[in-house]
Amino acid sequence: MIDQFINFVIRPPRADYNPEQYLWEKEFTLAGRQFKRQDLELTNARGHKLRCSHYMPSPFPEETPLPCVIYCHGNSGCRADANEAAVILLPSNITVFTLDFSGSGLSDGDYVSLGWHERDDLKIVVSYLRSERQISRIGLWGRSMGAVTSLLYGAEDPSIAGMVLDSAFSNLFDLMMELVDVYKIRLPKFTVKMAMQYMRRVIQKKAKFDIMDLNCLKVAPKTFIPALFGHASEDKFIQPHHSDLIFKSYAGDKNVIKFDGDHNSSRPQFYYDSVSIFFFNVLRPPQISSACSSKLEKYYDLGDLKVGAGMDEDPMLSRNIRPDGDEQSNLQDKPNGQSDECCSYTSSNRESWGRCSSLGGSDEESSADCTAANNGNQVTLDVLATPLKSTQQKSSDPPKEEKKKQKKQKKQKKRDSTTPKPKHEKLEKLEALSKRLRLCILKRVSHRRPRST
């Protein structure tokens, strides 16, 4: 029974697959664009050959480096698990690199280490991508064992732009103790710790790592890479509290998403949307013109900020506010030549609105982006996602008609102040004053203070 549990940890069922059948084709079409799969082999520090695949546009854009996300599969997984990542990220001009870790899939090696040696495999992949001039920023997307691998490597390489950590475990020793109860392994309670010590020695001899050293809670407080955590609420293999512990101790910018399902269930669509938005914001892929340029979102240059002009905005965000409380909508028309297809929701929308918040930069930058101009009795608030021409017209001087009206009003005020008043008005005012004085004098004479008794 103990030997079976040891093999369950370091020698799980191995994925034996045909790359031509289970991976994307060498040349394929996705979202109306052409992509390709480039297979290659890398050698790690222990001399094991790693089978890898790199999904990228075909042809690759010249003189325009693209970001890349390395997908790290889980225990008993392989590089075919990255097919879903390719579908999500490739249309956003983000390339996807995937591999079979040592001891998994078609790569060399006899045992897996649940992230310990896989961290060195990931280091070889990152160094390879760094040597390629076509790759700019690098992100990591790991699931289960791959999430632990990404976290361990991210603590050593702060140049990683962002990480998605799906179903990571906090401590391997605690996980093994939980699995004893979950799978109802028949061992007396007083012998469990002794059995764990025996398993520790066997694993250290076979797989060349110590299970007590595999602790994500030690590296999480030292890691400052932006991270998105995900975990299924009904996961019994790696329970959700593992991600909660890592999330609490994680030092970098972080967010967590909980969803229905178990450890091996497919992830919901809103989780994939969140992953796509996260990588779009941290990797900042360039916008590449293609044959389907009409379907791409058009951008307008507002200084250092690029905002999609075709997104659906709340009318309350763009309005004229007057001192008397009246509100007037100030919606911008779409520019000429822009079709309804350009109004698709993309992650750039959230990026643009984040720049207008107090967390996006200094007070000077935010005040420069969200300007309020006072002209007479009217205050106008300019929204970020407006075309450049309209913003220039707003910021420029008021039109000639408004100037003429203001000049006429000033002239009328001057005339009123300079024209002499008629004599009868003066006489009426004098009579009114004299009456008030008589009344005041009469009241004072008739009024006497009563004596105190």
Side-chain angles (χ1 to χ4, degrees):
M1 181 64 68
I2 296 178
D3 293 336
Q4 292 180 358
F5 192 71
I6 292 173
N7 291 330
F8 180 76
V9 174
I10 62 174
R11 186 56 279 157
R14 191 163 186 164
D16 188 8
Y17 65 97
N18 183 5
E20 301 301 329
Q21 184 178 359
Y22 288 93
L23 302 181
W24 283 93
E25 298 177 353
K26 293 284 187 179
E27 298 284 342
F28 60 95
T29 303
L30 183 63
R33 297 173 56 187
Q34 297 294 326
F35 297 94
K36 64 180 180 180
R37 188 192 88 223
Q38 182 179 352
D39 296 335
L40 64 151
E41 292 183 358
L42 299 176
T43 305
N44 62 8
R46 295 179 293 167
H48 297 161
K49 291 183 179 181
L50 308 176
R51 269 67 179 184
C52 311
S53 296
H54 193 184
Y55 298 103
M56 63 184 72
S58 177
F60 201 95
E62 297 180 359
E63 299 181 357
T64 305
L66 299 181
C68 180
V69 170
I70 305 173
Y71 187 89
C72 305
H73 63 78
N75 199 11
S76 297
C78 62
R79 53 181 166 160
D81 298 342
N83 291 343
E84 57 186 5
V87 174
I88 297 168
L89 299 177
L90 285 177
S92 299
N93 296 323
I94 301 174
T95 65
V96 177
F97 193 99
T98 180
L99 74 155
D100 292 341
F101 284 116
S102 177
S104 300
L106 304 181
S107 296
D108 297 342
D110 297 327
Y111 300 101
V112 299
S113 58
L114 298 178
W116 185 260
H117 293 305
E118 287 77 7
R119 169 183 52 183
D120 298 330
D121 299 343
L122 184 56
K123 183 178 181 180
I124 297 298
V125 173
V126 173
S127 61
Y128 165 76
L129 293 176
R130 295 291 186 200
S131 63
E132 294 289 326
R133 296 181 180 179
Q134 296 177 334
I135 303 301
S136 57
R137 296 178 178 88
I138 295 178
L140 304 178
W141 185 352
R143 183 162 176 173
S144 188
M145 179 184 74
V148 177
T149 304
S150 301
L151 187 57
L152 293 177
Y153 178 78
E156 301 176 355
D157 188 359
S159 66
I160 298 298
M163 298 187 299
V164 173
L165 308 174
D166 187 345
S167 306
F169 60 83
S170 60
N171 190 337
L172 181 57
F173 181 81
D174 295 342
L175 177 63
M176 293 173 66
M177 294 293 292
E178 292 175 359
L179 293 177
V180 171
D181 296 333
V182 170
Y183 291 95
K184 298 180 181 180
I185 298 176
R186 298 179 180 179
L187 287 175
K189 293 184 178 180
F190 66 91
T191 61
V192 170
K193 292 185 178 180
M194 296 178 59
M196 293 296 294
Q197 291 298 328
Y198 171 75
M199 294 170 61
R200 178 185 178 185
R201 291 193 299 268
V202 174
I203 292 174
Q204 192 169 7
K205 183 178 180 181
K206 290 185 177 181
K208 308 299 180 183
F209 78 99
D210 191 353
I211 60 175
M212 302 302 294
D213 295 336
L214 199 52
N215 190 349
C216 294
L217 298 179
K218 293 181 179 179
V219 299
K222 304 176 184 178
T223 310
F224 297 90
I225 301 171
L228 176 64
F229 292 83
H231 214 114
S233 58
E234 300 175 359
D235 192 344
K236 295 182 179 179
F237 184 73
I238 300 177
Q239 299 180 21
H241 72 267
H242 285 272
S243 289
D244 295 338
L245 292 174
I246 301 173
F247 181 80
K248 290 180 181 178
S249 61
Y250 195 80
D253 295 337
K254 55 189 175 181
N255 194 7
V256 62
I257 299 176
K258 297 292 182 66
F259 41 82
D260 297 333
D262 55 15
H263 188 73
N264 296 317
S265 63
S266 59
R267 300 314 188 213
Q269 184 62 38
F270 77 88
Y271 173 73
Y272 290 136
D273 294 339
S274 301
V275 171
S276 177
I277 293 171
F278 172 79
F279 278 128
F280 190 96
N281 291 332
V282 298
L283 297 179
R284 301 177 184 177
Q287 296 295 322
I288 301 174
S289 61
S290 62
C292 301
S293 59
S294 61
K295 296 183 179 180
L296 297 177
E297 187 179 8
K298 295 185 178 181
Y299 287 78
Y300 292 89
D301 190 5
L302 301 179
D304 295 334
L305 180 62
K306 290 186 177 180
V307 184
M311 60 184 177
D312 297 331
E313 300 173 350
D314 187 356
M316 297 298 292
L317 294 176
S318 180
R319 61 183 182 228
N320 292 336
I321 303 176
R322 298 182 179 179
D324 56 1
D326 295 335
E327 295 181 359
Q328 181 180 1
S329 63
N330 187 21
L331 295 177
Q332 297 294 333
D333 296 333
K334 294 181 182 180
N336 295 331
Q338 181 176 351
S339 60
D340 295 336
E341 294 179 352
C342 297
C343 299
S344 60
Y345 177 81
T346 62
S347 56
S348 62
N349 300 343
R350 295 194 180 184
E351 183 184 13
S352 63
W353 294 116
R355 285 288 301 274
C356 193
S357 64
S358 60
L359 299 177
S362 61
D363 295 336
E364 295 179 359
E365 293 178 354
S366 60
S367 62
D369 291 338
C370 301
T371 58
N374 294 328
N375 289 327
N377 295 328
Q378 189 174 357
V379 181
T380 60
L381 298 179
D382 294 339
V383 177
L384 283 176
T386 54
L388 180 60
K389 294 181 181 179
S390 60
T391 56
Q392 289 178 352
Q393 291 177 359
K394 289 183 180 180
S395 61
S396 61
D397 296 333
K400 296 181 179 179
E401 295 179 357
E402 293 182 359
K403 285 185 177 180
K404 291 180 180 179
K405 291 181 181 179
Q406 291 177 1
K407 288 181 180 180
K408 288 182 180 179
Q409 291 177 357
K410 289 181 180 179
K411 288 181 180 179
Q412 289 178 358
K413 289 180 180 178
K414 289 181 179 179
R415 290 176 182 175
D416 295 338
S417 61
T418 55
T419 54
K421 297 181 179 179
K423 292 182 179 181
H424 66 274
E425 291 183 0
K426 292 183 179 180
L427 293 173
E428 290 178 356
K429 288 184 178 181
L430 290 173
E431 290 179 359
L433 287 173
S434 63
K435 289 181 180 180
R436 290 180 183 178
L437 289 173
R438 289 175 185 174
L439 291 173
C440 290
I441 292 169
L442 291 173
K443 286 181 179 179
R444 288 181 182 177
V445 172
S446 62
H447 177 70
R448 293 181 180 179
R449 185 176 182 180
R451 295 180 181 180
S452 59
T453 55

